[in-house]
Amino acid sequence: MSIVCDFHLHSGFSEDSSSPMEEMVRAAAEKGLKILCFTEHYDLDYPEGCGEFRPDMEAYVSRLFSLRETYRDRIQIRLGLELGMQSHLGEAYRRLAGSFPFDFLIASQHLVEGADPYYPEYWQGRREEEVYRRYFETVLRNIRSMEEFDTLGHLDYIVRYGPNRNRFYSFRAYEDVITPILQELIRRNKCLEVNTAGLKYGLGHPNPEEDVLRRYRELGGRRITIGSDAHKPEHIAWEFQKTEKILLDLGFTHYTVFQNRIPLELPLGR
C-alpha cells in the first residue's frame, strides 16, 4: 500500500473524540504510517447546545509539538485544523490561519442553514433530496467566500446522516451544483479530499463517491488529499488499501500532503 499518510484525524482536543492524542500517534506508527496530520474541529458559531467545537489552541499546539519531538524517529506529526464553513467566517479564519504554524487546513461543511444534520431531529418535516441540494448549494457559496483552506473535506458528507443515507443519492441528481464546486476548487488550485469514513459508515463508498471523483478528473482535477476522519485509534488509515485501488482505477496517480501549507505530491500504487 502506497498511502502512508493520513491527513484527517481527531483526538480528545475535538469535541466529538475522547481519544488521547498520544494513543492516536502510537496507533498510526504501529500501522506503518509515515505522516499523520491532526485536524481538530474548529467550528465558529456552532449551534448553541450542540457542543463547543473549538479546541484550546495553545494546549493543542503545545501537546502536538511535544509529541512531534517524542516520536520524531518513528513518524512525522503535522499540525492542522478542520474549519467548519459558514459564509460570514472567512475573515475570522484568515486571522486564525496566521496565528499558528499550520501545515494544513481542511474546509468542511457541517451545517445546513445554521443547523447540524447529524442529529435525527433535524430531518423531521424535511425532504431528504431538498436538504441534500441545499447542502451542496451551501458548500458552493461558502468556498467562494473563503480563502484559507487547502482541501475541501468530505464533499458529500451529508449522505452519512440522511434518513436513507445514500440509497437514493447519486452524483447525477446533483451534478448541476456539484460540478461548479469541483470547477471552483480546480480554478483556485485547491485540493479535494477523499475521506474514507464513508466506507467506515457502511456507505460502500468514500466521501465523495466515485462518480464525483471521476467528474473531478474529467474536469482536470488532479489534486487530492486522503484522510480517514478517525476519531479513535482503530479507525486510522481506514480502508486505505481499498481506497488506493479505487483511485488507481479512476486514473489518479498521486495524492497530496502538506507541510507549512506547501503541497507535495506522492505517488499512488508504488
Side-chain angles (χ1 to χ4, degrees):
M1 182 181 73
S2 63
I3 305 175
V4 291
C5 310
D6 193 334
F7 264 64
H8 192 147
L9 293 169
H10 300 278
S11 75
F13 284 100
S14 287
E15 176 76 13
D16 55 356
S17 174
S18 59
S19 300
M21 184 178 279
E22 188 165 10
E23 288 187 14
M24 301 292 281
V25 172
R26 285 202 301 265
E30 288 166 4
K31 292 183 180 188
L33 293 186
K34 303 301 183 184
I35 308 173
L36 74 161
C37 185
F38 284 95
T39 53
E40 308 293 1
H41 285 294
Y42 200 101
D43 273 71
L44 287 172
D45 289 353
Y46 196 72
E48 187 175 349
C50 294
E52 183 66 27
F53 283 88
R54 292 174 63 181
D56 179 332
M57 288 300 302
E58 297 291 346
Y60 167 42
V61 174
S62 176
R63 182 58 174 154
L64 187 145
F65 281 9
S66 174
L67 291 172
R68 177 185 286 178
E69 179 63 21
T70 300
Y71 287 86
R72 68 184 185 278
D73 295 329
R74 295 186 63 189
I75 192 168
Q76 295 181 44
I77 303 173
R78 306 255 167 104
L79 175 66
L81 280 180
E82 182 178 11
L83 303 173
M85 292 193 295
Q86 296 188 61
S87 58
H88 63 289
L89 296 178
E91 177 58 24
Y93 287 151
R94 186 192 66 78
R95 292 195 301 270
L96 176 66
S99 299
F100 296 92
F102 292 112
D103 293 296
F104 180 61
L105 296 174
I106 302 173
S108 292
Q109 193 64 51
H110 294 129
L111 304 178
V112 182
E113 298 174 338
D116 193 339
Y118 170 84
Y119 297 100
E121 55 269 26
Y122 171 86
W123 298 90
Q124 295 175 9
R126 291 183 167 98
R127 295 179 62 226
E128 185 177 74
E129 61 269 28
E130 290 180 357
V131 173
Y132 287 5
R133 178 164 291 278
R134 283 202 299 273
Y135 177 86
F136 292 123
E137 290 170 347
T138 303
V139 171
L140 179 59
R141 180 171 64 250
N142 286 345
I143 62 169
R144 284 174 170 167
S145 65
M146 187 168 169
E147 292 294 331
E148 289 294 343
F149 71 97
D150 301 305
T151 196
L152 177 63
H154 48 53
L155 174 54
D156 50 17
Y157 157 97
I158 188 72
V159 305
R160 295 183 191 174
Y161 307 113
N164 296 290
R165 305 214 293 171
N166 62 341
R167 182 180 175 191
F168 304 115
Y169 162 74
S170 71
F171 162 64
R172 295 301 174 192
Y174 304 94
E175 181 176 4
D176 60 310
V177 64
I178 293 178
T179 292
I181 294 171
L182 303 177
Q183 290 171 325
E184 184 73 9
L185 294 176
I186 293 166
R187 183 185 70 80
R188 294 171 59 190
N189 207 27
K190 303 291 188 181
C191 296
L192 176 66
E193 182 191 53
V194 180
N195 186 299
T196 68
L199 297 166
K200 180 187 72 179
Y201 280 91
L203 300 177
H205 308 275
N207 298 119
E209 57 137 45
E210 291 88 335
D211 283 347
V212 177
L213 294 169
R214 184 177 293 107
R215 181 60 173 148
Y216 179 61
R217 267 196 60 82
E218 289 172 352
L219 292 166
R222 298 294 183 270
R223 299 183 64 193
I224 55 171
T225 62
I226 300 172
S228 65
D229 208 348
H231 291 64
K232 298 179 180 180
E234 58 265 34
H235 295 149
I236 291 171
W238 187 267
E239 293 280 25
F240 272 18
Q241 190 165 358
K242 181 174 183 177
T243 300
E244 179 180 61
K245 184 179 186 308
I246 289 171
L247 293 171
L248 289 169
D249 287 348
L250 289 169
F252 289 95
T253 59
H254 292 75
Y255 67 106
T256 305
V257 298
F258 283 80
Q259 185 171 20
N260 298 322
R261 307 285 308 282
I262 299 170
L264 172 68
E265 300 296 315
L266 297 180
L268 288 165
R270 298 181 192 174

